[in-house]
Structures are given as structure tokens and as C-alpha cells.
């Protein structure tokens, strides 16, 4: 019988796992660009699980309001430093 005890930072492990499947920012930007036609200038779009904000950057470039929510507080802080409205909890979105 095998018993494995994992002692780790769960948030850091989640971040590594979630980013493993994303692809580069450039490849995601190219893929996400195809969805911009669904929105028009002045729309407000909620990106739940916004990660590094690639989608929010694209929206901002088209004058579409993007609001990001992500569990990763470090990413939320980085996004707000870039002038993107990002929140750690859905309840905080105004």
C-alpha cells in the first residue's frame, strides 16, 4: 500500500496546473480575437477566471469594458497595475 503525503502551497500548484494548458499569450490572443465580433463598443464583459488578462486586453483595445475575476490574487494585482479592472471575488465587482 502506498501512502503519499503532499505538503504544498495549493494556490501555487493550481496556478502551475492551470497555466500548463493555456499556451502562449500570443497564441491565445490570436484565438480570442475571433470572439471580438460578438461585442460592440460600450458593452461590459465579465471574464471569470481571467488569468493574465489577455482577453481583457483585447476587449480594452476595442473600447469594450472588461471586468476580470480571478482566484489568483497576484494576477489580480498585476492586472490592476496595468489599469484593468480585476477583482479577487465576484462579490467585489461593482
Amino acid at each position: 500500500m502506498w501512502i503519499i503525503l503532499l505538503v504544498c502551497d495549493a494556490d501555487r500548484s493550481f496556478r502551475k496546473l492551470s497555466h500548463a494548458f493555456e499556451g502562449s499569450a500570443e497564441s491565445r490572443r490570436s484565438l480570442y480575437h475571433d470572439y471580438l465580433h460578438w461585442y460592440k463598443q460600450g458593452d461590459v464583459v465579465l471574464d471569470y477566471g481571467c488569468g493574465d488578462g489577455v482577453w481583457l486586453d483585447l476587449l480594452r483595445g476595442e473600447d469594450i469594458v472588461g471586468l476580470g475575476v480571478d482566484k489568483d490574487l497576484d494576477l489580480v494585482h498585476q492586472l490592476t497595475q496595468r489599469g484593468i479592472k480585476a477583482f479577487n471575488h465576484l462579490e467585489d465587482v461593482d
Side-chain angles (χ1 to χ4, degrees):
M1 175 197 237
W2 289 85
I3 299 175
I4 300 173
L5 177 63
L6 296 176
V7 179
C8 64
D9 178 348
D11 286 337
R12 186 172 37 184
S13 296
F14 172 79
R15 188 179 319 146
K16 284 182 180 179
L17 178 65
S18 67
H19 294 316
F21 300 101
E22 290 179 342
S24 70
E26 277 304 313
S27 66
R28 288 181 286 129
R29 189 172 288 108
S30 176
L31 291 170
Y32 299 163
H33 192 270
D34 293 341
Y35 297 99
L36 284 173
H37 72 275
W38 291 350
Y39 307 99
K40 64 184 180 307
Q41 192 175 33
D43 282 351
V44 178
V45 178
L46 176 67
D47 184 357
Y48 193 81
C50 62
D52 62 2
V54 170
W55 175 236
L56 296 170
D57 280 331
L58 283 170
L59 293 171
R60 182 167 56 173
E62 299 293 322
D63 293 324
I64 299 167
V65 177
L67 304 174
V69 177
D70 202 279
K71 176 183 176 175
D72 188 327
L73 194 54
D74 292 333
L75 287 174
V76 169
H77 180 70
Q78 291 172 23
L79 293 173
T80 56
Q81 291 285 329
R82 291 176 16 216
I84 294 174
K85 288 188 177 184
F87 306 90
N88 193 231
H89 301 283
L90 189 57
E91 306 86 53
D92 299 333
V93 176
D94 51 3

